[in-house]
Amino acid sequence: QVQLVESGGRLVQPGGSLRLSCVASGVIFSINDMAWFRQDTGKERELVASITTTGTTNYKDSVKGRFTISRDNAKNTVYLQMNTLKVEDTAVYYCNRAWLPFRTVGGTDVWGKGTLVTVSS
């Protein structure tokens, strides 16, 4: 069964850095474009960064130059390096397949529990 486990979130001061990790199991990781999403309280989940199977990356405008997405296919893991963090980056961060969430056999979208990033002084 598909499982996504995010980690690395914590409280950090503005200007600080964090590295998030997401391990995917139950999927053929290397053939999937992957992405990081985030959702703040009361807001829609949004795409933050994506990485294709060949390593091409794309970013939401507000994080360009500050965030870097990468992947390690040998470890079934996608990373998000976040630098120069801002208060508005506060959210729960999730990973998933980039363009269509992983699904169960029954057709239900699979999401992990996410990891909470809080940027505050």
Side-chain angles (χ1 to χ4, degrees), residues 89-110:
D89 294 320
T90 296
V92 178
Y93 284 71
Y94 304 88
C95 75
N96 213 317
R97 188 165 50 183
W99 317 120
L100 184 69
F102 289 114
R103 289 180 172 169
T104 65
V105 172
T108 303
D109 290 352
V110 176

PDB file of all heavy atoms in Angstrom, residues 89-110:
ATOM      1  N   ASP A  89       5.667  31.420   5.216  1.00  0.00           N
ATOM      2  CA  ASP A  89       5.946  30.030   4.850  1.00  0.00           C
ATOM      3  C   ASP A  89       5.358  29.056   5.869  1.00  0.00           C
ATOM      4  O   ASP A  89       5.401  27.842   5.664  1.00  0.00           O
ATOM      5  CB  ASP A  89       7.460  29.789   4.766  1.00  0.00           C
ATOM      6  CG  ASP A  89       8.118  30.563   3.649  1.00  0.00           C
ATOM      7  OD1 ASP A  89       7.526  30.651   2.556  1.00  0.00           O
ATOM      8  OD2 ASP A  89       9.228  31.098   3.869  1.00  0.00           O
ATOM      9  N   THR A  90       4.822  29.571   6.941  1.00  0.00           N
ATOM     10  CA  THR A  90       4.218  28.724   7.966  1.00  0.00           C
ATOM     11  C   THR A  90       3.067  27.922   7.376  1.00  0.00           C
ATOM     12  O   THR A  90       2.156  28.470   6.759  1.00  0.00           O
ATOM     13  CB  THR A  90       3.703  29.576   9.141  1.00  0.00           C
ATOM     14  OG1 THR A  90       4.816  30.210   9.776  1.00  0.00           O
ATOM     15  CG2 THR A  90       2.959  28.718  10.152  1.00  0.00           C
ATOM     16  N   ALA A  91       3.122  26.600   7.539  1.00  0.00           N
ATOM     17  CA  ALA A  91       2.096  25.707   6.983  1.00  0.00           C
ATOM     18  C   ALA A  91       2.459  24.270   7.322  1.00  0.00           C
ATOM     19  O   ALA A  91       3.554  23.994   7.817  1.00  0.00           O
ATOM     20  CB  ALA A  91       2.009  25.860   5.467  1.00  0.00           C
ATOM     21  N   VAL A  92       1.526  23.380   7.036  1.00  0.00           N
ATOM     22  CA  VAL A  92       1.830  21.950   7.048  1.00  0.00           C
ATOM     23  C   VAL A  92       2.283  21.592   5.637  1.00  0.00           C
ATOM     24  O   VAL A  92       1.607  21.915   4.665  1.00  0.00           O
ATOM     25  CB  VAL A  92       0.611  21.109   7.450  1.00  0.00           C
ATOM     26  CG1 VAL A  92       0.963  19.628   7.408  1.00  0.00           C
ATOM     27  CG2 VAL A  92       0.135  21.509   8.839  1.00  0.00           C
ATOM     28  N   TYR A  93       3.422  20.939   5.544  1.00  0.00           N
ATOM     29  CA  TYR A  93       4.010  20.586   4.252  1.00  0.00           C
ATOM     30  C   TYR A  93       3.803  19.092   3.974  1.00  0.00           C
ATOM     31  O   TYR A  93       4.016  18.248   4.846  1.00  0.00           O
ATOM     32  CB  TYR A  93       5.492  20.922   4.246  1.00  0.00           C
ATOM     33  CG  TYR A  93       5.758  22.401   4.089  1.00  0.00           C
ATOM     34  CD1 TYR A  93       5.470  23.288   5.129  1.00  0.00           C
ATOM     35  CD2 TYR A  93       6.248  22.931   2.900  1.00  0.00           C
ATOM     36  CE1 TYR A  93       5.678  24.651   4.989  1.00  0.00           C
ATOM     37  CE2 TYR A  93       6.469  24.301   2.747  1.00  0.00           C
ATOM     38  CZ  TYR A  93       6.185  25.150   3.796  1.00  0.00           C
ATOM     39  OH  TYR A  93       6.394  26.504   3.647  1.00  0.00           O
ATOM     40  N   TYR A  94       3.389  18.799   2.757  1.00  0.00           N
ATOM     41  CA  TYR A  94       3.121  17.437   2.307  1.00  0.00           C
ATOM     42  C   TYR A  94       3.903  17.159   1.022  1.00  0.00           C
ATOM     43  O   TYR A  94       4.161  18.063   0.237  1.00  0.00           O
ATOM     44  CB  TYR A  94       1.640  17.259   1.979  1.00  0.00           C
ATOM     45  CG  TYR A  94       0.673  17.587   3.085  1.00  0.00           C
ATOM     46  CD1 TYR A  94       0.193  18.883   3.257  1.00  0.00           C
ATOM     47  CD2 TYR A  94       0.195  16.592   3.931  1.00  0.00           C
ATOM     48  CE1 TYR A  94      -0.709  19.185   4.262  1.00  0.00           C
ATOM     49  CE2 TYR A  94      -0.726  16.883   4.931  1.00  0.00           C
ATOM     50  CZ  TYR A  94      -1.158  18.184   5.086  1.00  0.00           C
ATOM     51  OH  TYR A  94      -2.064  18.474   6.074  1.00  0.00           O
ATOM     52  N   CYS A  95       4.198  15.900   0.803  1.00  0.00           N
ATOM     53  CA  CYS A  95       4.734  15.517  -0.499  1.00  0.00           C
ATOM     54  C   CYS A  95       3.731  14.587  -1.173  1.00  0.00           C
ATOM     55  O   CYS A  95       2.879  13.977  -0.522  1.00  0.00           O
ATOM     56  CB  CYS A  95       6.088  14.829  -0.371  1.00  0.00           C
ATOM     57  SG  CYS A  95       6.023  13.148   0.235  1.00  0.00           S
ATOM     58  N   ASN A  96       3.835  14.498  -2.493  1.00  0.00           N
ATOM     59  CA  ASN A  96       2.998  13.581  -3.249  1.00  0.00           C
ATOM     60  C   ASN A  96       3.488  13.552  -4.690  1.00  0.00           C
ATOM     61  O   ASN A  96       4.413  14.287  -5.060  1.00  0.00           O
ATOM     62  CB  ASN A  96       1.527  13.989  -3.208  1.00  0.00           C
ATOM     63  CG  ASN A  96       0.587  12.794  -3.238  1.00  0.00           C
ATOM     64  OD1 ASN A  96       0.790  11.859  -3.995  1.00  0.00           O
ATOM     65  ND2 ASN A  96      -0.431  12.827  -2.401  1.00  0.00           N
ATOM     66  N   ARG A  97       2.873  12.732  -5.483  1.00  0.00           N
ATOM     67  CA  ARG A  97       3.147  12.763  -6.906  1.00  0.00           C
ATOM     68  C   ARG A  97       2.743  14.138  -7.411  1.00  0.00           C
ATOM     69  O   ARG A  97       1.768  14.727  -6.954  1.00  0.00           O
ATOM     70  CB  ARG A  97       2.353  11.641  -7.590  1.00  0.00           C
ATOM     71  CG  ARG A  97       2.700  11.448  -9.039  1.00  0.00           C
ATOM     72  CD  ARG A  97       2.183  10.123  -9.556  1.00  0.00           C
ATOM     73  NE  ARG A  97       0.797   9.889  -9.267  1.00  0.00           N
ATOM     74  CZ  ARG A  97       0.152   8.772  -9.576  1.00  0.00           C
ATOM     75  NH1 ARG A  97       0.804   7.788 -10.158  1.00  0.00           N
ATOM     76  NH2 ARG A  97      -1.130   8.648  -9.298  1.00  0.00           N
ATOM     77  N   ALA A  98       3.486  14.638  -8.396  1.00  0.00           N
ATOM     78  CA  ALA A  98       3.331  16.045  -8.748  1.00  0.00           C
ATOM     79  C   ALA A  98       1.976  16.389  -9.349  1.00  0.00           C
ATOM     80  O   ALA A  98       1.362  17.389  -8.973  1.00  0.00           O
ATOM     81  CB  ALA A  98       4.444  16.454  -9.694  1.00  0.00           C
ATOM     82  N   TRP A  99       1.483  15.623 -10.288  1.00  0.00           N
ATOM     83  CA  TRP A  99       0.329  16.075 -11.083  1.00  0.00           C
ATOM     84  C   TRP A  99      -0.969  15.362 -10.730  1.00  0.00           C
ATOM     85  O   TRP A  99      -2.048  15.829 -11.074  1.00  0.00           O
ATOM     86  CB  TRP A  99       0.633  15.929 -12.575  1.00  0.00           C
ATOM     87  CG  TRP A  99       2.023  16.396 -12.880  1.00  0.00           C
ATOM     88  CD1 TRP A  99       3.043  15.671 -13.428  1.00  0.00           C
ATOM     89  CD2 TRP A  99       2.599  17.674 -12.565  1.00  0.00           C
ATOM     90  NE1 TRP A  99       4.191  16.432 -13.492  1.00  0.00           N
ATOM     91  CE2 TRP A  99       3.951  17.649 -12.972  1.00  0.00           C
ATOM     92  CE3 TRP A  99       2.112  18.848 -11.972  1.00  0.00           C
ATOM     93  CZ2 TRP A  99       4.805  18.743 -12.831  1.00  0.00           C
ATOM     94  CZ3 TRP A  99       2.962  19.935 -11.827  1.00  0.00           C
ATOM     95  CH2 TRP A  99       4.290  19.879 -12.252  1.00  0.00           C
ATOM     96  N   LEU A 100      -0.871  14.237 -10.060  1.00  0.00           N
ATOM     97  CA  LEU A 100      -2.043  13.474  -9.637  1.00  0.00           C
ATOM     98  C   LEU A 100      -1.644  12.708  -8.392  1.00  0.00           C
ATOM     99  O   LEU A 100      -0.691  11.935  -8.427  1.00  0.00           O
ATOM    100  CB  LEU A 100      -2.482  12.496 -10.728  1.00  0.00           C
ATOM    101  CG  LEU A 100      -3.744  11.702 -10.466  1.00  0.00           C
ATOM    102  CD1 LEU A 100      -4.961  12.619 -10.480  1.00  0.00           C
ATOM    103  CD2 LEU A 100      -3.893  10.608 -11.520  1.00  0.00           C
ATOM    104  N   PRO A 101      -2.338  12.911  -7.291  1.00  0.00           N
ATOM    105  CA  PRO A 101      -1.934  12.234  -6.061  1.00  0.00           C
ATOM    106  C   PRO A 101      -1.886  10.721  -6.243  1.00  0.00           C
ATOM    107  O   PRO A 101      -2.653  10.155  -7.036  1.00  0.00           O
ATOM    108  CB  PRO A 101      -3.030  12.621  -5.065  1.00  0.00           C
ATOM    109  CG  PRO A 101      -3.612  13.880  -5.599  1.00  0.00           C
ATOM    110  CD  PRO A 101      -3.527  13.760  -7.086  1.00  0.00           C
ATOM    111  N   PHE A 102      -0.999  10.078  -5.508  1.00  0.00           N
ATOM    112  CA  PHE A 102      -1.053   8.638  -5.439  1.00  0.00           C
ATOM    113  C   PHE A 102      -2.431   8.220  -4.932  1.00  0.00           C
ATOM    114  O   PHE A 102      -3.049   8.920  -4.130  1.00  0.00           O
ATOM    115  CB  PHE A 102       0.034   8.106  -4.502  1.00  0.00           C
ATOM    116  CG  PHE A 102       1.427   8.233  -5.042  1.00  0.00           C
ATOM    117  CD1 PHE A 102       2.340   9.079  -4.431  1.00  0.00           C
ATOM    118  CD2 PHE A 102       1.822   7.509  -6.152  1.00  0.00           C
ATOM    119  CE1 PHE A 102       3.632   9.209  -4.915  1.00  0.00           C
ATOM    120  CE2 PHE A 102       3.110   7.632  -6.655  1.00  0.00           C
ATOM    121  CZ  PHE A 102       4.015   8.488  -6.037  1.00  0.00           C
ATOM    122  N   ARG A 103      -2.891   7.073  -5.396  1.00  0.00           N
ATOM    123  CA  ARG A 103      -4.210   6.601  -4.995  1.00  0.00           C
ATOM    124  C   ARG A 103      -4.162   5.165  -4.542  1.00  0.00           C
ATOM    125  O   ARG A 103      -3.289   4.393  -4.931  1.00  0.00           O
ATOM    126  CB  ARG A 103      -5.205   6.765  -6.161  1.00  0.00           C
ATOM    127  CG  ARG A 103      -5.553   8.212  -6.432  1.00  0.00           C
ATOM    128  CD  ARG A 103      -6.535   8.350  -7.568  1.00  0.00           C
ATOM    129  NE  ARG A 103      -6.997   9.741  -7.683  1.00  0.00           N
ATOM    130  CZ  ARG A 103      -7.690  10.210  -8.696  1.00  0.00           C
ATOM    131  NH1 ARG A 103      -8.039   9.411  -9.686  1.00  0.00           N
ATOM    132  NH2 ARG A 103      -8.065  11.474  -8.710  1.00  0.00           N
ATOM    133  N   THR A 104      -5.118   4.793  -3.706  1.00  0.00           N
ATOM    134  CA  THR A 104      -5.275   3.406  -3.314  1.00  0.00           C
ATOM    135  C   THR A 104      -5.882   2.638  -4.482  1.00  0.00           C
ATOM    136  O   THR A 104      -6.348   3.224  -5.467  1.00  0.00           O
ATOM    137  CB  THR A 104      -6.200   3.278  -2.096  1.00  0.00           C
ATOM    138  OG1 THR A 104      -7.517   3.703  -2.481  1.00  0.00           O
ATOM    139  CG2 THR A 104      -5.720   4.137  -0.933  1.00  0.00           C
ATOM    140  N   VAL A 105      -5.914   1.327  -4.348  1.00  0.00           N
ATOM    141  CA  VAL A 105      -6.544   0.495  -5.369  1.00  0.00           C
ATOM    142  C   VAL A 105      -7.993   0.915  -5.561  1.00  0.00           C
ATOM    143  O   VAL A 105      -8.544   0.882  -6.666  1.00  0.00           O
ATOM    144  CB  VAL A 105      -6.436  -0.991  -4.984  1.00  0.00           C
ATOM    145  CG1 VAL A 105      -7.249  -1.851  -5.934  1.00  0.00           C
ATOM    146  CG2 VAL A 105      -4.985  -1.437  -4.971  1.00  0.00           C
ATOM    147  N   GLY A 106      -8.608   1.344  -4.491  1.00  0.00           N
ATOM    148  CA  GLY A 106     -10.003   1.763  -4.542  1.00  0.00           C
ATOM    149  C   GLY A 106     -10.212   3.150  -5.111  1.00  0.00           C
ATOM    150  O   GLY A 106     -11.363   3.592  -5.262  1.00  0.00           O
ATOM    151  N   GLY A 107      -9.130   3.859  -5.416  1.00  0.00           N
ATOM    152  CA  GLY A 107      -9.270   5.163  -6.029  1.00  0.00           C
ATOM    153  C   GLY A 107      -9.243   6.345  -5.076  1.00  0.00           C
ATOM    154  O   GLY A 107      -9.510   7.480  -5.478  1.00  0.00           O
ATOM    155  N   THR A 108      -8.913   6.122  -3.829  1.00  0.00           N
ATOM    156  CA  THR A 108      -8.849   7.207  -2.847  1.00  0.00           C
ATOM    157  C   THR A 108      -7.465   7.862  -2.860  1.00  0.00           C
ATOM    158  O   THR A 108      -6.459   7.152  -2.864  1.00  0.00           O
ATOM    159  CB  THR A 108      -9.132   6.678  -1.433  1.00  0.00           C
ATOM    160  OG1 THR A 108     -10.409   6.035  -1.426  1.00  0.00           O
ATOM    161  CG2 THR A 108      -9.123   7.806  -0.413  1.00  0.00           C
ATOM    162  N   ASP A 109      -7.445   9.196  -2.875  1.00  0.00           N
ATOM    163  CA  ASP A 109      -6.167   9.893  -2.812  1.00  0.00           C
ATOM    164  C   ASP A 109      -5.440   9.556  -1.512  1.00  0.00           C
ATOM    165  O   ASP A 109      -6.048   9.478  -0.448  1.00  0.00           O
ATOM    166  CB  ASP A 109      -6.381  11.407  -2.882  1.00  0.00           C
ATOM    167  CG  ASP A 109      -6.833  11.870  -4.252  1.00  0.00           C
ATOM    168  OD1 ASP A 109      -6.829  11.054  -5.188  1.00  0.00           O
ATOM    169  OD2 ASP A 109      -7.182  13.059  -4.379  1.00  0.00           O
ATOM    170  N   VAL A 110      -4.134   9.390  -1.634  1.00  0.00           N
ATOM    171  CA  VAL A 110      -3.300   9.097  -0.467  1.00  0.00           C
ATOM    172  C   VAL A 110      -2.464  10.320  -0.132  1.00  0.00           C
ATOM    173  O   VAL A 110      -1.762  10.852  -0.991  1.00  0.00           O
ATOM    174  CB  VAL A 110      -2.371   7.900  -0.732  1.00  0.00           C
ATOM    175  CG1 VAL A 110      -1.436   7.682   0.465  1.00  0.00           C
ATOM    176  CG2 VAL A 110      -3.177   6.640  -1.006  1.00  0.00           C
TER     177      VAL A 110
END
